[in-house]
Amino acid sequence: LSGAALSTMTSEEVATFSTDEVAAITAKVVSALSTDFIAALSTDQLGALGAKQLAALTSDQMSALTTEQVAALGTDQIAALSAKQLAVLSTDQIGALTTDQIAAFGAKQIAALTSDQVEALSSEQAEALTATQIAALSGAALSTMTSDEIATFSTDEVAAITAKVVSTLTTDFIAALSSDQLGALDAKQLAALTSAQVEALNTDQIAALGTDQIVVLTAKQLAALSTEQIGALTTDQVAALGVKQVAALTSDQVEALDSDQVAALTATQIAALNGTALSTMTSDEVATFSTDEVAAISAKVLSALSTDFIAALSSDQLGALDAKQVAALTSTQVEALGTDQIAAFGTDQIVALTTKQLAVLTTGQIGALTTDQVAALGVKQIAALSSSQVEALDSDQVEALTATQIAALSAAAIGVMASDEIATFSADEIAAINVKALSGLSTDHIGALDSDQVQAFTTQQVQAFNNAQLEAVLAAYAAF
């Protein structure tokens, strides 16, 4: 019989057909049957159709199948359906599929499903999907799934989603992934995440990322992290960040790090941070820096640090700075140093200070210098000291001055010294006073000198004295 002839039969007549009789209808005739004939077939009769017969069903015939008929199709029959046939199934028909039928779909069949059809899947159906099937779904299709459905995905199934598809998933899908599921993403998948997807990750998800995952995040992805997400990073994750990643962090993100996270930073990472970023750190966070980490800060970055950062450095941390770093300190930074910090400088650091830096030292800072530090000052450094700075030196500091240093003092500097300080000069130091500086030597200064000191004046110095100074010298001689 032809399809047209068979289609004239009533549902009661169709019901009399045995399964063998249904199976005897050729595929060509099947494709010509009316939708009423198809809808009248029992589940047993429909089950008798072979692969060729099923493949011959038209879109209209497929649409005519009831949910009961769809659910009755065998897995071998399901596998025979074409992508075109699957595309016409209604959401109700899709919802009628059994989990065995779902699992029987091939990759091409799954890929042919529309977003509406995938959205119609229940949690049980979604759970029946295999890793291979999930890998065949588009981002738009996957994104129709509810959080309950996503929760049914195994880690292998999440890992099966291609990087290209990952980048097209909605932020809701990404946010619905569990820590274990997120942990299943490989480097390519993670690198494919968009800024919006990264922003959608909650703090628990961020904290669950493995260190091997953290290291693959791009600078652009890291820049998208909120301060709350940054604060959720574990110390192991922070320590795993690469130099380029750390350098990409914004000042706000660095400011969001807590003391434990800052303590986890390595010297190499700290060296990658700019001055603005480092300056957001609190004194407690700065205190976590090791001396090696402080030493790793470049001179250029050091000069950009805030005065609060500089003031927060401990004596040991400050002592870790090398000559280039010390010389890079700005006048404002030098002024911010506390007296304890000044006193903690090594003599090699003291000699690294420029005359410009020395010029901004307050009298309090000058007074904090140790005698070893004073003795280490170079000739140009001594010559750069102002009268008020020299006046701030106490007797012990003045006594620490060498003959070479005293020779560099100006008349003004000599003039502000107390008589008892001048009296600490050795005979060699008296002889070292520059002839041009002698005008700063008062008669009181000369009167405080002992016989050895007075006798130490050179012929040139005596010739340079004014009348008052000469009289003072003669009076001193007469007193001996």
Side-chain angles (χ1 to χ4, degrees), residues 302-311 328-338 341 356-362 365:
L302 195 75
S303 67
L305 293 173
S306 68
T307 53
D308 285 341
F309 186 101
I310 296 296
L329 292 171
T330 65
S331 298
T332 307
Q333 290 173 323
V334 171
E335 286 177 327
L337 293 171
Q341 290 176 305
K356 186 179 179 181
Q357 290 172 317
L358 282 169
V360 299
L361 289 178
T362 64
Q365 291 173 313

Side-chain angles (χ1 to χ4, degrees), residues 163 166 182-194 198 201 209-223 225 233 236-246 248:
V166 165
L182 200 66
L185 297 178
D186 64 19
K188 287 185 179 180
Q189 290 171 306
L190 277 168
L193 291 174
T194 65
V198 171
L201 295 171
L209 291 173
T211 53
D212 57 327
Q213 293 178 302
I214 285 290
V215 296
V216 301
L217 294 176
T218 65
K220 186 178 180 181
Q221 289 173 319
L222 283 171
L225 292 177
L233 292 171
D236 286 340
Q237 289 174 321
V238 169
L241 291 172
V243 171
K244 289 184 179 179
Q245 290 176 305
V246 170

Side-chain angles (χ1 to χ4, degrees), residues 318-402:
L318 204 63
L321 299 179
D322 63 20
K324 285 186 179 180
Q325 290 172 305
V326 171
L329 292 171
T330 65
S331 298
T332 307
Q333 290 173 323
V334 171
E335 286 177 327
L337 293 171
T339 53
D340 289 340
Q341 290 176 305
I342 291 289
F345 269 133
T347 53
D348 57 327
Q349 292 176 305
I350 285 293
V351 297
L353 291 172
T354 65
T355 53
K356 186 179 179 181
Q357 290 172 317
L358 282 169
V360 299
L361 289 178
T362 64
T363 54
Q365 291 173 313
I366 290 290
L369 293 170
T370 67
T371 53
D372 286 339
Q373 289 173 322
V374 170
L377 290 171
V379 172
K380 289 183 179 179
Q381 291 176 306
I382 288 289
L385 294 176
S386 67
S387 299
S388 59
Q389 289 176 317
V390 173
E391 189 176 12
L393 296 173
D394 62 25
S395 297
D396 291 334
Q397 290 172 312
V398 171
E399 190 172 2
L401 292 170
T402 65

Side-chain angles (χ1 to χ4, degrees), residues 21 44 46 69 76 145 175 240 247 260-261 288 351 409 457 469:
E21 290 169 341
D44 287 339
L46 198 66
Q69 288 176 309
D76 56 330
M145 293 188 174
D260 290 335
Q261 290 172 312
T288 66
V351 297
L409 291 172
F457 284 120
Q469 289 172 318

